[in-house]
Amino acid sequence: VAQTRLRADRKIQIKQEYVEYDNKKKKKKKILHRQTSAGQYTGTLDCLLDIYRKDGVKGLYRGVDAKIIQTCLNAAFMFTAYEKIYASIFRLMLASRRKPRRRG
């Protein structure tokens, strides 16, 4: 009777270990799947090909118009700032040359 009880307990223990192992395995698989699904693409080429398949060539250039406007405005601002600073420095240099220096 005691041996039968030990065998039954051992079978239950093995089943519990198997279920626990299986649960750990499933949990690990979920974590790994979550990590790979967060990084949807395996590389740049994979990303480009996926966008091309879904949206075509037009999809590759989506959002470019906003970036072009940003770049043009930035260039205009930088050019204007450069011209203003250059003009101010040039005026200061001309003004300093025109004034005769007085000797004390």
Side-chain angles (χ1 to χ4, degrees), residues 38-104:
Q40 186 176 354
Y41 303 109
T42 56
T44 306
L45 186 61
D46 181 37
C47 176
L48 290 172
L49 289 174
D50 188 47
I51 292 170
Y52 179 74
R53 277 187 225 116
K54 288 179 182 175
D55 302 322
V57 175
K58 194 174 183 180
L60 294 172
Y61 292 98
R62 186 182 304 136
V64 168
D65 51 351
K67 187 64 180 169
I68 288 174
I69 291 170
Q70 177 192 5
T71 302
C72 290
L73 290 174
N74 186 36
F77 174 74
M78 295 296 279
F79 184 72
T80 303
Y82 172 79
E83 287 293 317
K84 294 287 184 185
I85 292 169
Y86 181 80
S88 297
I89 291 173
F90 189 71
R91 266 189 263 121
L92 285 173
M93 288 177 68
L94 281 178
S96 69
R97 286 186 182 172
R98 288 183 187 163
K99 290 183 184 178
R101 293 190 178 183
R102 294 182 187 170
R103 294 187 180 181

